[in-house]
Amino acid sequence: MSNVSYYTAEGLKKLKEELDYLRDVERPKASQAIAEARDKGDLSENAEYDAAKEAQGLLEMKISKMEETVANARLIDESQLDTSKVLVLSTVKLKNTGNQMEMTYTLVAESEADLKAGKISVNSPIGKGLLGKTVGETAEITVPNGTLKFEILEISRT
C-alpha cells in the first residue's frame, strides 16, 4: 500500500539529501563498527558486536522507509494551485475568534512541518480543519484540549 506524499521542490531535495547521507555515510560507518567488533574475538559473548548489528538493522529499516517515501513523493506544481481556498502550500492568515489573536501559517507536507517557522502539517488537526476553507469562513477545529474557531482573513501562496 503506497502513501503518496506531496512535497515542495525544497522539501523533496532535503529528503533526498538525507537519504543519500544515510546510504553514503551512515551505512559504511555501521559496517565498519561491525567489522571492528568482530575483530575483538568471540562473537557469542560480544555485546559490542550485538549492538553494532542492531544499530545496522535499525539504520537499514530507516533507509528502507525513506526510500519508500521518496518513491511515493510527488512534487507540487505551485503554479497550478487554486488561490481561492486553503490547500497545501497556502499561507493562511487567521484570527482566533476566542482571544482575537492573529497568526499566519503555511500548510506543508508532514515532513516539512516546522512550527517555529510557521509551517504546519496538512495532517495536523489545524491543517485538516483549514483545508478547503475560503476567506471569510470560520473553521471550527477540535484539538486535544478543546475546540478552536479561526476566521480565515487571507490566503496566499508561498
Side-chain angles (χ1 to χ4, degrees), residues 51-124:
K53 287 293 284 184
E54 185 174 336
Q56 182 187 41
L58 293 172
L59 176 65
E60 290 302 326
M61 188 168 61
K62 185 174 182 177
I63 289 171
S64 177
K65 284 182 179 180
M66 286 190 76
E67 286 173 339
E68 183 180 339
T69 300
V70 169
N72 293 317
R74 301 292 177 264
L75 198 57
I76 298 170
D77 183 356
E78 296 177 49
S79 67
Q80 300 297 314
L81 295 177
D82 181 3
T83 56
S84 67
K85 59 186 173 185
V86 179
L87 300 169
V88 176
L89 292 187
S90 293
T91 298
V92 186
K93 186 174 181 181
L94 310 167
K95 180 166 69 173
N96 183 326
T97 58
N99 61 16
Q100 303 303 310
M101 281 186 57
E102 290 186 8
M103 58 208 78
T104 303
Y105 293 120
T106 301
L107 274 69
V108 296
E110 198 165 334
S111 63
E112 295 181 62
D114 179 1
L115 193 56
K116 288 181 183 174
K119 296 179 177 184
I120 61 171
S121 166
V122 292
N123 296 328
S124 68

